[in-house]
Amino acid sequence: MAEVLLFHHVQGLTSGVRDFAEPLRQAGHTVHTPDLFDGRVFDTIDEGLAHVREIGFGEVIERGRRAAEGLPDELVYAGFSLGVLPAQMLTQTRPGARGALLFHSCVPTSEFGGAWPVGVPVQIHGMDADPFFVDEGDIDAARALVASTKDAELFLYPGNGHLFADNSLPDYDESAATLLTERALGLLEAVR
């Protein structure tokens, strides 16, 4: 079975992020859900962003790197929105990555040193009218990654919600989240 390091989004390690990990565990995978915010959870994206600006995006990425210390090299890295930053960084820079699951976000591979690692599958999931994913360039980075990487897939879901896979937040979309989870389980099964 696969071992997954799953990073939370800008609102923190919500019950919805923890809930998302459960079907992966029930399928036999090991899932780690580190808390990059030391227990803080925010009611809104804006409040979470204010906190990230205080500590710095670089610090969030560094906390993600530290969360991987002591874990096996052969991990699947996953992240919700902000959590994509450490997940993508570790996939591209830490030897041994088995795969990546990028939910609600994607950054250009050049942010972390260039090309995607050969033979490492990646799935990117976002809504087709999500202003964060579409208007801020994430969809363009996702399309570029898919165009340059054999094992990359982009899944677009109808709607404008951002954190649609977190069942504790208003943007939650059960049908899209269910399909996202099924697809993520497919990747985990393929790399186990």
Side-chain angles (χ1 to χ4, degrees):
M1 291 296 145
E3 190 160 352
V4 181
L5 184 55
L6 173 64
F7 296 107
H8 62 75
H9 49 70
V10 75
Q11 288 181 246
L13 184 56
T14 61
S15 61
V17 173
R18 288 194 291 286
D19 288 349
F20 178 84
E22 283 313 304
L24 308 184
R25 290 183 178 118
Q26 290 169 6
H29 306 291
T30 300
V31 184
H32 305 275
T33 54
D35 186 345
L36 305 180
F37 288 176
D38 300 320
R40 296 189 69 184
V41 176
F42 300 93
D43 291 333
T44 68
I45 290 174
D46 287 341
E47 289 173 12
L49 277 174
H51 176 68
V52 170
R53 287 185 187 109
E54 280 179 27
I55 64 173
F57 285 91
E59 176 62 18
V60 171
I61 294 169
E62 176 58 21
R63 289 178 183 186
R65 187 195 61 73
R66 288 194 304 262
E69 291 177 354
L71 295 177
D73 291 340
E74 297 78 22
L75 294 173
V76 173
Y77 298 100
F80 280 78
S81 192
L82 174 72
V84 163
L85 293 175
Q88 193 170 332
M89 179 276 295
L90 287 162
T91 304
Q92 289 188 235
T93 64
R94 189 173 189 242
R98 300 295 304 274
L101 296 165
L102 310 180
F103 307 129
H104 323 297
S105 184
C106 183
V107 297
T109 57
S110 60
E111 290 291 319
F112 302 114
W116 191 259
V118 174
V120 177
V122 56
Q123 290 181 355
I124 307 128
H125 300 260
M127 284 201 154
D128 61 6
D130 169 11
F132 293 102
F133 189 70
V134 175
D135 299 342
E136 294 186 7
D138 296 69
I139 195 169
D140 299 324
R143 286 180 172 143
L145 178 53
V146 168
S148 68
T149 304
K150 178 182 171 226
D151 299 316
E153 296 177 282
L154 170 60
F155 297 105
L156 293 174
Y157 304 81
N160 62 4
H162 183 53
L163 300 172
F164 68 89
D166 182 325
N167 67 13
S168 69
L169 298 177
D171 279 352
Y172 179 64
D173 181 312
E174 184 176 4
S175 61
T178 299
L179 185 53
L180 178 150
T181 302
E182 289 170 7
R183 288 168 167 164
L185 284 167
L187 183 141
L188 296 179
E189 183 65 25
V191 302
R192 68 183 187 103

